[in-house]
Amino acid sequence: MTHHSTDREAGAVEQYLEESLGLHLESLEKGREHARAAGLPAIEVSAGQGKFLQLLTEMIGARRVLEIGTLGGYSTSWLALGVGASGKVITCEFEPLHASVARENLERSGLADRVEIKLGAAQGTLDTLISKRAEAFDLIFIDADKRNNVVYLERALKLSHPGTVLVLDNVVRGGAILDDPSQLGNQEADVRGVQESLLWLRDHPQVSVTALQTLGAKGWDGFALARVV
Ligand SMILES: C[S@@+](CC[C@H](N)C(=O)[O-])C[C@H]1O[C@@H](n2cnc3c(N)ncnc32)[C@H](O)[C@@H]1O
């Protein structure tokens, strides 16, 4: 029996799965290249996670999706594929360069019609949606500054209906989630933000939640998946 080193081979297995399942879509990969060339950080979801988001969106028949954290529009594109031509994705991004790269990518891949990029700090955008009594979203993907996760969750709930699915990315952070919250400094505000958001999800009477670990080219992480009840 061959023994494999998990750390060393997780990236190779991810690549194998992506290739054997055909998860790389040409237009979306071009978008990733464009984002790299524009200097955006390589912190988007993997192709497997992107397809997971598309499938989840399709499985619940989501027509309206809210995303917090656009970057170059990679996960946005998968969500846009999930909602279909008559669906809508609203995505929040505060870096003008990220938003403009995302807009170009979505236009090039023919998905721009179903996506609205809201430029500005996500908290303000969400508060405006709430005050304007925006129609509830069917799925909300939270993937921005993790220190504000609870801020986003509180607002996400106000923009939800019973059955809305919440996905919270990067909840494991290479195991840093185990660190003692009382020992965390300002540098680890995102770790504390994730810890607080998991407790919030556990304690909220309107939420049913789980979390799954992931391993791949970008290391060890995971996501929380919740349903508004
Ligand atoms: C991890 S990246 C998003 C990756 C993207 N969801 C994907 O998988 O393709 C996080 C993004 O959130 C944006 N962001 C961070 N803090 C924000 C805030 N307070 N309001 C709006 N956007 C923010 C960052 O500029 C960055 O583009």
Side-chain angles (χ1 to χ4, degrees):
M1 192 175 124
T2 316
H3 292 273
H4 297 280
S5 150
T6 310
D7 281 352
R8 186 166 52 79
E9 304 219 348
V13 169
E14 181 174 316
Q15 200 179 339
Y16 173 82
L17 293 173
E18 287 173 354
E19 282 167 12
S20 56
L21 297 173
L23 298 179
H24 286 140
L25 307 185
E26 200 186 330
S27 65
L28 271 56
E29 292 311 313
K30 281 200 178 129
R32 286 217 272 198
E33 284 164 27
H34 179 217
R36 294 284 179 280
L40 271 54
I43 51 173
E44 74 281 2
V45 297
S46 67
Q49 289 161 350
K51 181 66 180 278
F52 173 81
L53 290 172
Q54 179 190 340
L55 287 168
L56 192 57
T57 304
E58 291 169 346
M59 283 169 183
I60 64 164
R63 313 306 302 157
R64 279 175 64 78
V65 167
L66 174 65
E67 177 180 62
I68 305 168
T70 315
L71 194 66
Y74 185 67
S75 55
T76 319
S77 302
W78 287 104
L79 292 164
L81 290 170
V83 295
S86 60
K88 174 108 185 178
V89 179
I90 292 182
T91 184
C92 308
E93 176 57 60
F94 75 167
E95 290 285 353
L97 174 65
H98 298 186
S100 75
V101 169
R103 194 168 291 115
E104 286 161 15
N105 283 341
L106 290 158
E107 273 163 14
R108 281 189 213 166
S109 52
L111 296 166
D113 286 356
R114 55 186 100 160
V115 179
E116 193 177 335
I117 302 174
K118 300 273 194 189
L119 183 62
Q123 182 174 344
T125 301
L126 300 177
D127 284 339
T128 302
L129 288 169
I130 293 165
S131 67
K132 287 189 174 166
R133 299 184 187 282
E135 193 186 330
F137 293 90
D138 307 307
L139 184 144
I140 303 178
F141 178 48
I142 301 176
D143 187 23
D145 48 338
K146 277 54 185 189
R147 65 199 62 198
N148 279 319
N149 271 0
V150 170
V151 166
Y152 299 144
L153 281 168
E154 282 167 347
R155 283 153 184 80
L157 208 63
K158 292 187 180 151
L159 292 164
S160 295
H161 55 70
T164 294
V165 168
L166 310 175
V167 183
L168 198 67
D169 204 13
N170 307 122
V171 301
V172 173
R173 316 187 76 76
I177 196 69
L178 295 177
D179 292 350
D180 181 347
S182 67
Q183 304 295 314
L184 294 175
N186 283 344
Q187 242 88 313
E188 291 94 33
D190 287 335
V191 175
R192 193 184 304 112
V194 170
Q195 291 169 332
E196 288 168 359
S197 59
L198 293 176
L199 298 179
W200 187 96
L201 285 162
R202 178 196 68 186
D203 291 338
H204 203 291
Q206 263 177 284
V207 172
S208 176
V209 63
T210 188
L212 295 173
Q213 301 185 66
T214 56
L215 194 61
K218 287 183 187 150
W220 178 27
D221 217 322
F223 62 91
L225 181 69
R227 183 172 183 271
V228 177
V229 294

